[in-house]
Amino acid sequence: MKIHILCSRKLRKSMYCIKKIISAVSAFPFVKPALAVFVSLCLLLVLAPYILSRLAPSDEPEKELIPQASFELVKTPSTIDIFRTEKNKTETLGFEDYIKGVVSCEMPSSFHEEALKAQAVAARTYAVSRVCRAYESGNPDSHPQAPLCDSTHCQVYRSESENRTLKGDSWMKDSWKKICAAVDDTEGQLLYYNGELVTQALFHSSSGGKTENCEDVFAAAVPYLVSVDSPYEDEATHQNETTSFSINEFVDKIKSEYPDIEFGEINASGIKILSRSSGGRVEKIQIGNGVISGRNVREALSLPSANFEIDVSDDSITFTSNGSGHGVGMSQYGADGMAKKGYNYREILSHYYSGTQVY
């Protein structure tokens, strides 16, 4: 129906143009009506290819125009070296093939196509920034053979054949195809901030409703990694999760993880949250005579998030947490929620990486 309406509108517009041509030619006093029609037909023969091309609906989807940058863009490499942790060796991969393998591991394939595109751009930007850093200061100490590894230390990666073995032919037919389309549709696109390549395209599973300022979680502030609302996380898996420990078990885990801190005797009355970050996560928590960060507690107890409440009794402590991950940068469930609300991948990325553009 939409195509028919479109063609009808184009046809009416073309007929209107034909009438205008005849009227314009007839306006000259020395031109007879028959001659006007003849001249008009001649003009139409010249214009016919253009008119027909405008009338015919295209089977090809319209490609989104990429904005022109006023600065020099970074070119993505054709190949990339990846350290395979389980194999304990370095492999050279096609760069865009590597991004497909990362997206297949880092984001559920059931997510909306626009969320997958956002993930592809974030993963590509992260990878290119690590390659650029390797050129300047060398590869990381943990894998000196390559700028990136295939684990959570960098970005999780599996090859096409590994995905087929793990997930089966049915998943490859539908989900892998969907992931490849998202990567292909954004091929070569990267995130930039003030004319410079983004170097910290961080992401996490879900924020619990609000992301974090980078400096509240990691060492330094990053201008595009600031706390923003993430309102569309209704389908996130990590909501109001409870994890309980006996007081003794809690004390043992904390003291084992941080042996240099003088906690003294720890009892129920000596455990309390002191402050929270702008993103709502626990900033400081008192444990006996010691004070540590909510991030430290999360890591020591393997909690999904530092966005937690505590309920302490004489013999137990219960953590109720929301969100999963460090909370900095793009919330993946938030990106999926935004996509389902009609936002495209560029809008998703500019929301979670404030002030950035995709080129």
Side-chain angles (χ1 to χ4, degrees), residues 2 16 102 129 134 139 165 188 214 223 246 256 293 329 336:
K2 184 177 180 180
Y16 174 77
V102 170
S129 71
N139 295 324
T165 300
C214 187
S246 69
S256 174
S293 71
D336 187 45

Side-chain angles (χ1 to χ4, degrees), residues 24 35 44 66-67 80 98 104 119 124 126 134 146 163 175-176 184 193 222 233 235 238 241 254 272 286 324 327 354:
L35 181 60
L44 283 174
I66 300 175
I80 189 169
Y98 163 71
S104 74
Q119 181 66 62
R124 186 180 294 111
Y126 183 94
N163 272 318
S175 296
W176 178 253
D184 290 342
Y193 179 80
V222 178
E233 296 189 11
E235 297 180 16
H238 296 278
E241 289 185 301
I254 294 296
K272 56 184 176 181
Q286 180 178 332
S324 177
S354 299

Side-chain angles (χ1 to χ4, degrees), residues 118-170:
Q119 181 66 62
V121 174
R124 186 180 294 111
T125 302
Y126 183 94
V128 172
S129 71
R130 291 306 180 272
V131 171
C132 293
R133 184 181 300 179
Y135 285 145
E136 295 175 359
S137 56
N139 295 324
D141 293 338
S142 55
H143 42 85
Q145 307 95 323
L148 289 156
C149 69
D150 62 359
S151 75
T152 54
H153 177 265
C154 295
Q155 298 184 124
V156 182
Y157 163 82
R158 278 194 299 268
S159 68
E160 180 177 356
S161 61
E162 289 165 342
N163 272 318
R164 186 181 299 278
T165 300
L166 182 66
K167 298 188 175 183
D169 291 337
S170 178

Side-chain angles (χ1 to χ4, degrees), residues 32-282:
K32 295 181 179 180
L35 181 60
V37 172
F38 175 75
V39 172
S40 300
L41 287 174
C42 291
L43 287 171
L44 283 174
L45 286 174
V46 176
L47 296 172
Y50 171 77
I51 293 174
L52 289 173
S53 69
R54 297 298 295 168
L55 282 174
S58 174
D59 293 330
E60 294 291 328
E62 291 187 10
K63 291 187 176 181
E64 185 176 3
L65 293 177
I66 300 175
Q68 294 297 310
S70 58
F71 50 87
E72 185 176 357
L73 299 178
V74 177
K75 292 184 178 180
T76 58
S78 58
T79 62
I80 189 169
D81 291 336
I82 303 296
F83 180 68
R84 306 305 305 273
T85 51
E86 290 189 4
K87 298 178 182 179
N88 194 31
K89 69 175 186 178
T90 299
E91 293 181 357
T92 301
L93 310 171
F95 182 73
E96 293 295 327
D97 292 333
Y98 163 71
I99 300 303
K100 292 172 183 176
V102 170
V103 175
S104 74
C105 296
E106 293 285 6
M107 177 175 276
S109 59
S110 59
F111 277 16
H112 194 282
E113 291 84 351
E114 294 300 311
L116 290 169
K117 290 179 187 179
Q119 181 66 62
V121 174
R124 186 180 294 111
T125 302
Y126 183 94
V128 172
S129 71
R130 291 306 180 272
V131 171
C132 293
R133 184 181 300 179
Y135 285 145
E136 295 175 359
S137 56
N139 295 324
D141 293 338
S142 55
H143 42 85
Q145 307 95 323
L148 289 156
C149 69
D150 62 359
S151 75
T152 54
H153 177 265
C154 295
Q155 298 184 124
V156 182
Y157 163 82
R158 278 194 299 268
S159 68
E160 180 177 356
S161 61
E162 289 165 342
N163 272 318
R164 186 181 299 278
T165 300
L166 182 66
K167 298 188 175 183
D169 291 337
S170 178
W171 186 90
M172 294 298 295
K173 182 180 179 181
D174 297 321
S175 296
W176 178 253
K177 183 178 180 181
K178 181 180 176 182
I179 289 166
C180 289
V183 175
D184 290 342
D185 286 347
T186 62
E187 182 177 356
Q189 294 180 21
L190 301 168
L191 272 172
Y192 293 85
Y193 179 80
N194 283 351
E196 299 289 338
L197 180 69
V198 163
T199 59
Q200 299 291 335
L202 304 182
F203 50 86
H204 57 281
S205 180
S206 60
S207 72
K210 198 169 187 178
T211 68
E212 283 289 355
N213 293 320
C214 187
E215 66 269 26
D216 291 336
V217 179
F218 301 115
V222 178
Y224 47 82
L225 295 179
V226 296
S227 179
V228 297
D229 289 332
S230 185
Y232 305 121
E233 296 189 11
D234 295 342
E235 297 180 16
T237 53
H238 296 278
Q239 299 188 63
N240 296 315
E241 289 185 301
T242 59
T243 308
S244 297
F245 304 91
S246 69
I247 293 295
N248 290 337
E249 184 182 11
F250 169 75
V251 169
D252 289 344
K253 286 179 178 292
I254 294 296
K255 286 187 173 182
S256 174
E257 193 71 22
Y258 307 105
D260 296 333
I261 298 178
E262 295 292 336
F263 291 102
E265 183 179 353
I266 302 174
N267 52 43
S269 62
I271 304 171
K272 56 184 176 181
I273 294 171
L274 299 178
S275 61
R276 292 185 179 273
S277 66
S278 58
R281 285 156 183 77
V282 173

